[in-house]
């Protein structure tokens, strides 16, 4: 479907948003990215405080847009970007929880605080796919974006991420999830990947492991900032390559 813009959620006009968008969940992280990494930028959206910016990073025009928390919010903003603003690539940057515990599978047990994860595919407990008419689609990352990323950074952990509808999930339920071949848990990527597949566009999600909700562990603020900056830099380099490839 084609979505008319501006929308009730995004006041940007056609042409205001670049073909490649970096998408953190927190709109203030979008602000942090442009303030700390971009040479220049303008704000194209402030509706509901969901900040969106377009600017210049190393001579390349890119956008950064918050998605909000959870599948419903990501479902709205990513769909509007793909099908209203004709965005080709969305690169999600966010935090994920490790599910490492004594009863976990090898994949879950190997994930440490501070690791950088990349979601090749997604498992979930959400009915978003059915409700959206996407039940025939399998939520996977863009092979194109994943291959480019692995040329930039080949020591990230790539695998399955679990997207949960519930933040304060029962620990026994999380342990059950950890016994399957998953790397970690978060709340948005399932919607992003399904919207990308439906629109014939590209999406990839990159995470810094910030906590372990089963064991109650968290990385300290200094390590968190360092890990987030590393993830952001990887995403920005990936975005540059996407944009340069489009210009060839």
């Amino acid at each position: 479907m084609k979505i008319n813009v501006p929308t009730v959620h995004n006041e940007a006009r056609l042409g205001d948003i670049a073909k490649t968008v970096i998408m953190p969940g927190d709109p203030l992280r979008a602000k942090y990215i442009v303030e700390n990494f971009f040479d220049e930028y303008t704000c194209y959206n402030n509706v509901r405080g969901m900040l969106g910016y377009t600017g210049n990073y190393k001579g390349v025009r890119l956008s950064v847009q918050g998605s909000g928390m959870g599948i419903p919010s990501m479902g709205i903003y990513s769909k509007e970007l793909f099908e209203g603003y004709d965005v080709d690539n969305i690169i999600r940057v966010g935090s994920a929880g490790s599910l490492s515990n004594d009863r976990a599978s090898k994949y879950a047990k190997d994930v440490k605080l501070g690791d950088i994860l990349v979601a090749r595919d997604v498992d979930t407990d959400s009915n978003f796919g059915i409700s959206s008419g996407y039940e025939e689609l399998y939520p996977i990352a863009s092979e194109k974006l994943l291959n480019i990323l692995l040329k930039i950074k080949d020591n990230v952990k790539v695998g399955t991420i679990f997207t949960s509808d519930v933040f304060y999930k029962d620990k026994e339920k999380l342990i059950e999830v950890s016994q399957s071949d998953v790397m970690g848990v978060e709340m948005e990527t399932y919607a992003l990947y399904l919207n990308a597949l439906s629109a014939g566009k590209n999406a990839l999600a990159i995470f810094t492991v910030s906590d372990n909700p089963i064991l109650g562990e968290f990385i300290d603020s200094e390590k968190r900032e360092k890990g987030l900056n590393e993830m952001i830099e990887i995403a920005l380099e990936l975005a540059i390559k996407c944009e340069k490839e489009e210009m060839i």
Side-chain angles (χ1 to χ4, degrees):
M1 65 178 290
K2 179 64 176 176
I3 296 173
N4 293 324
V5 300
T7 74
V8 296
H9 312 100
N10 197 327
E11 61 192 339
R13 303 283 177 175
L14 281 176
D16 288 350
I17 303 175
K19 290 291 189 179
T20 300
V21 177
I22 306 292
M23 200 163 209
D26 184 353
L28 292 181
R29 190 169 293 159
K31 186 172 186 283
Y32 173 86
I33 291 171
V34 295
E35 287 181 343
N36 288 275
F37 294 91
F38 279 40
D39 299 320
E40 57 184 12
Y41 57 88
T42 58
C43 180
Y44 62 73
N45 186 59
N46 195 28
V47 176
R48 294 174 179 260
M50 197 58 67
L51 299 170
Y53 301 89
T54 296
N56 187 302
Y57 176 74
K58 294 185 177 179
V60 177
R61 184 174 183 261
L62 301 174
S63 293
V64 187
Q65 165 81 58
S67 72
M69 289 190 291
I71 287 173
S73 190
M74 171 61 85
I76 290 169
Y77 287 101
S78 61
K79 188 175 186 69
E80 290 181 353
L81 289 175
F82 284 136
E83 299 183 23
Y85 292 98
D86 201 26
V87 167
D88 289 334
N89 313 295
I90 294 180
I91 303 165
R92 165 159 158 65
V93 289
S95 56
S98 167
L99 297 177
S100 180
N101 67 91
D102 290 342
R103 293 154 58 187
S105 71
K106 179 182 181 299
Y107 289 91
K109 194 172 289 187
D110 284 348
V111 176
K112 307 294 190 296
L113 298 186
D115 283 351
I116 292 180
L117 311 180
V118 179
R120 180 186 58 226
D121 50 75
V122 188
D123 193 5
T124 190
D125 54 6
S126 171
N127 67 356
F128 174 84
I130 295 172
S131 298
S132 302
Y134 292 162
E135 60 265 39
E136 300 301 321
L137 296 178
Y138 184 71
I140 58 173
S142 160
E143 184 176 351
K144 169 188 170 181
L145 296 191
L146 181 58
N147 287 339
I148 295 173
L149 180 139
L150 291 176
K151 292 176 182 177
I152 297 169
K153 186 82 171 178
D154 62 3
N155 63 342
V156 295
K157 293 182 177 178
V158 181
T160 303
I161 287 289
F162 189 89
T163 299
S164 177
D165 262 340
V166 179
F167 183 81
Y168 294 107
K169 202 173 187 69
D170 179 79
K171 286 188 179 181
E172 283 301 316
K173 295 290 186 183
L174 287 173
I175 290 171
E176 287 179 21
V177 173
S178 78
Q179 292 169 341
S180 58
D181 292 338
V182 298
M183 299 188 301
V185 61
E186 55 87 67
M187 299 186 68
E188 290 83 31
T189 301
Y190 182 66
L192 172 62
Y193 280 13
L194 287 184
N195 280 343
L197 287 170
S198 174
K201 302 297 183 73
N202 301 302
L204 189 68
I206 310 170
F207 310 94
T208 298
V209 179
S210 60
D211 66 293
N212 183 320
I214 295 174
L215 303 180
E217 298 176 344
F218 300 86
I219 57 176
D220 62 39
S221 58
E222 182 179 347
K223 289 181 180 178
R224 182 183 178 88
E225 182 176 355
K226 181 179 178 182
L228 290 173
N229 283 346
E230 182 182 3
M231 171 187 63
I232 290 166
E233 288 170 355
I234 292 169
L236 287 168
E237 290 304 313
L238 172 58
I240 282 179
K241 290 187 181 296
C242 291
E243 284 294 295
K244 288 183 175 178
E245 187 173 294
E246 293 294 331
M247 291 186 288
I248 294 174

